Amino acid sequence: MHIALESMSVEYPQEVLIKRGSTSAFVEQSGFVEVNGESYYCIKDSSEMPPFLMNVVSGSNHWMFVGSNGSITAGRRNADNALFPYCTQDKLFELVQTTGPKTCLWVRGEGDSEKGVLWEPFCGELKSGELQRNLYKSIDGSRVIFEEINVGLALTYRYSWSTSDRFGFVKQSELINLGGEAVEVRLLDGIQNLVPYGIDQDFVTQFSNLADAYKKNELLESEGLGVYYLSSIPTDRAEPLSLIHI
């Protein structure tokens, strides 16, 4: 399985320069919008609704279920080939902060303090009047977009999930400066709690903590490639095992 991180351009009617703190950038109502020439339905203030489950369709053997709060489970063919842990809807919603996308931004604008501000989109409760979270889903069901507008920083962060025959699952991210001032940003954008090869659904269900103990990851800097694997065959018995398949 592969995950590709790409940039995304969204045609957005409220994309105008604003002053910090102005709510003019907020989406005013739900309805149909155009995104990169495709039709989407936008649900404004989606975070004010109870979480609900959606699926992202694919023309291949991908399967993906996404919660309106950003939680996700996905894989190929069946649950034994899951990329993120496959679980029931209630558990899926509870895992939103530990599974799937994770983004942290350190932002400092002109005239700000030297330390700047830490912004973690889609994390925690909304501050009334400062943040708005919106949800977009394509008419054909092949892509879903999550959006958080921060008028205190005059920034909008969006990410989307879709599938690709070449890349597998594709997460695209975009950061938009809504203000007229230059902004310095340090960005950490990634994913959490991937399921490495060698763990089937029965093991995840019965021994999830043991599976976590055997997870390993490395970065191949020359290739820019992250590798996720098991340090050995998971077992709770005192015996040496090796997870090497030729």
Side-chain angles (χ1 to χ4, degrees):
M1 296 181 186
H2 302 276
I3 289 185
L5 301 179
E6 302 177 2
S7 62
M8 173 177 61
S9 176
V10 178
E11 298 175 10
Y12 184 59
Q14 280 82 17
E15 237 166 39
V16 295
L17 297 182
I18 66 168
K19 293 183 178 180
R20 289 192 178 189
S22 171
T23 59
S24 61
F26 280 174
V27 174
E28 297 181 357
Q29 62 182 7
S30 301
F32 292 98
V33 297
E34 290 292 319
V35 179
N36 289 337
E38 296 183 41
S39 295
Y40 284 71
Y41 190 85
C42 169
I43 300 178
K44 69 177 290 285
D45 297 316
S46 56
S47 57
E48 297 184 6
M49 304 171 60
F52 58 89
L53 194 64
M54 305 170 286
N55 71 319
V56 176
V57 300
S58 166
S60 184
N61 60 2
H62 309 85
W63 57 266
M64 178 182 290
F65 297 99
V66 184
S68 60
N69 62 348
S71 53
I72 182 174
T73 179
R76 295 265 198 170
R77 295 192 300 276
N78 52 45
D80 289 334
N81 294 281
L83 182 65
F84 300 103
Y86 180 76
C87 56
T88 57
Q89 176 179 298
D90 57 329
K91 293 182 179 179
L92 183 67
F93 292 161
E94 293 174 357
L95 294 175
V96 61
Q97 297 301 330
T98 57
T99 301
K102 183 66 175 180
T103 303
C104 300
L105 301 102
W106 180 87
V107 182
R108 185 167 68 90
E110 294 181 357
D112 287 350
S113 63
E114 183 177 349
K115 293 184 177 180
V117 177
L118 176 64
W119 176 29
E120 296 183 65
F122 310 104
C123 182
E125 299 294 328
L126 289 176
K127 295 181 180 179
S128 178
E130 292 188 9
L131 300 173
Q132 184 187 50
R133 292 172 184 166
N134 307 304
L135 179 65
Y136 302 76
K137 190 174 184 183
S138 62
I139 298 301
D140 62 5
S142 62
R143 184 188 298 266
V144 61
I145 301 174
F146 294 86
E147 173 185 73
E148 181 167 305
I149 303 173
N150 188 325
V151 296
L153 299 174
L155 294 173
T156 293
Y157 174 76
R158 303 186 188 124
Y159 75 88
S160 73
W161 283 111
S162 60
T163 62
S164 164
D165 289 340
R166 179 181 180 185
F167 296 110
F169 298 95
V170 180
K171 177 181 181 284
Q172 297 176 294
S173 301
E174 180 183 25
L175 181 64
I176 299 172
N177 184 359
L178 301 174
E181 300 178 351
V183 180
E184 180 184 353
V185 178
R186 296 179 182 175
L187 171 65
L188 174 64
D189 189 24
I191 49 180
Q192 306 177 102
N193 201 18
L194 289 173
V195 178
Y197 171 80
I199 300 180
D200 59 20
Q201 179 59 23
D202 288 340
F203 196 93
V204 171
T205 302
Q206 299 179 40
F207 306 103
S208 58
N209 289 333
L210 184 62
D212 288 340
Y214 282 87
K215 289 180 182 178
K216 298 274 288 185
N217 64 81
E218 296 181 9
L219 173 63
L220 304 181
E221 296 186 5
S222 60
E223 302 293 335
L225 180 67
V227 180
Y228 298 81
Y229 61 96
L230 297 175
S231 57
S232 68
I233 297 176
T235 178
D236 57 357
R237 293 177 293 181
E239 59 182 13
L241 293 172
S242 177
L243 186 67
I244 299 177
H245 293 271
I246 300 177

